[in-house]
Amino acid sequence: MAAETASIEPEVESINMKGTLLGSFDVMSTRLSTLQMFTIKASPTNLVVIRVESRTIQKKPFLFFIFTLNKGSINVEYSVGLDSSAKIRRLYVLKNLLSILSLISDQYEADNTELFQHMDSAIDDVLSSITQSYSTLFNNYDSLFNKYREAKRLNIELANSNKNLSVRASMLDNENKDLKARLAQLETYSDSSLMSLVEEWIDSHDGSIDANEFAKNYKITVPRVEQILNKMVSMGYIELKG
């Protein structure tokens, strides 16, 4: 719990209403003992529920509220922070009282008329204290929050789409590589095919061949042309003229 440095004691306010014990304080104490934020104290005449929210440097309770459930009445005592709204604080404390009562509704009940009147008054005080600028700010926040959620949803969808596109792009890249490899194989002449082309070239060019021109015409490298010419000479298919 946070420590308070102020030396001024907080204001303490109280609320009282009728209540009716339907069961046992001991049963109520056992049931509420699981609430770690609260201290529960039971006696033959009442049940006390305490929550200390913060303390002073001297370890004294600063922000707190205490619910005392008697056989015929409920007493609520709570402190109000020096820099906080008394109206909002009152509504917050009553909300916690309702939470406690909901857990022991078969053992204890508050007078509904008084409880509803206190809640109605607290809610009305808070609503009437909200200025138009605050209301506008809240509406803007709510609108922005909805836009944020929609943007987040779209971002998730786009992220999923991007993943799918990345996978598709990878597949297309692999397909492109395969196609290039196949095209390279198709564009590569076998030795026998290339020798036939050389023979046709020589026949149509008065028995001569220019390796550079031939390579350019058939889109192959000059060293490849020279290699096949040497092979044809060694096999006696053509003769080099001096």
Side-chain angles (χ1 to χ4, degrees):
M1 292 176 288
E4 297 287 345
T5 59
S7 59
I8 302 175
E9 294 292 329
E11 293 185 8
V12 177
E13 299 186 5
S14 63
I15 302 172
N16 295 284
M17 67 187 77
K18 296 177 183 178
T20 303
L21 178 64
L22 303 176
S24 165
F25 287 128
D26 289 334
V27 173
M28 293 158 59
S29 175
T30 300
R31 189 176 299 175
L32 297 176
S33 63
T34 57
L35 302 176
Q36 298 181 355
M37 296 184 295
F38 296 87
T39 299
I40 312 298
K41 296 181 180 180
S43 72
T45 58
N46 62 30
L47 177 78
V48 181
V49 180
I50 304 170
R51 182 179 178 188
V52 178
E53 299 159 273
S54 64
R55 297 178 181 273
T56 64
I57 296 177
Q58 294 77 26
K59 303 301 181 182
K60 292 174 57 179
F62 188 83
L63 279 182
F64 64 87
F65 55 80
I66 304 171
F67 304 146
T68 303
L69 308 183
N70 302 302
K71 292 182 178 180
S73 64
I74 300 175
N75 175 257
V76 178
E77 188 177 14
Y78 62 95
S79 63
V80 180
L82 304 177
D83 56 351
S84 61
S85 167
K87 296 176 181 179
I88 294 178
R89 178 65 174 167
R90 181 183 178 213
L91 183 61
Y92 173 77
V93 170
L94 285 171
K95 171 189 172 297
N96 278 271
L97 176 63
L98 285 174
S99 298
I100 293 295
L101 292 174
S102 69
L103 298 175
I104 53 174
S105 58
D106 60 327
Q107 299 291 316
Y108 195 96
E109 67 178 15
D111 181 272
N112 285 338
T113 300
E114 289 191 75
L115 179 59
F116 292 159
Q117 286 176 346
H118 283 297
M119 286 298 302
D120 181 71
S121 175
I123 293 172
D124 188 59
D125 284 345
V126 170
L127 291 177
S128 62
S129 66
I130 296 177
T131 63
Q132 181 62 37
S133 59
Y134 179 85
S135 178
T136 302
L137 179 63
F138 179 81
N139 290 335
N140 289 339
Y141 162 79
D142 190 54
S143 176
L144 287 173
F145 183 70
N146 288 333
K147 290 180 180 179
Y148 161 76
R149 288 191 300 182
E150 179 65 15
K152 185 177 181 181
R153 182 186 67 80
L154 290 174
N155 183 58
I156 293 174
E157 291 182 359
L158 289 173
N160 291 332
S161 297
N162 186 54
K163 289 181 181 178
N164 293 333
L165 289 174
S166 296
V167 172
R168 181 59 181 161
S170 178
M171 293 174 61
L172 290 174
D173 184 59
N174 291 333
E175 290 178 5
N176 187 49
K177 290 179 180 178
D178 291 340
L179 290 173
K180 284 183 177 180
R182 291 174 59 187
L183 181 60
Q185 291 179 350
L186 291 174
E187 290 179 343
T188 301
Y189 296 100
S190 65
D191 282 3
S192 59
S193 297
L194 195 55
M195 283 190 288
S196 295
L197 292 175
V198 168
E199 289 176 345
E200 291 177 2
W201 182 280
I202 292 174
D203 289 341
S204 61
H205 288 78
D206 298 327
S208 64
I209 184 171
D210 184 303
N212 291 321
E213 187 177 354
F214 183 90
K216 182 179 180 181
N217 186 73
Y218 289 102
K219 296 182 175 57
I220 57 178
T221 63
V222 173
R224 172 68 169 142
V225 177
E226 293 175 343
Q227 180 264 333
I228 203 66
L229 288 174
N230 290 331
K231 183 176 181 179
M232 293 178 73
V233 170
S234 64
M235 295 176 65
Y237 291 157
I238 61 175
E239 293 181 0
L240 293 178
K241 294 181 181 180

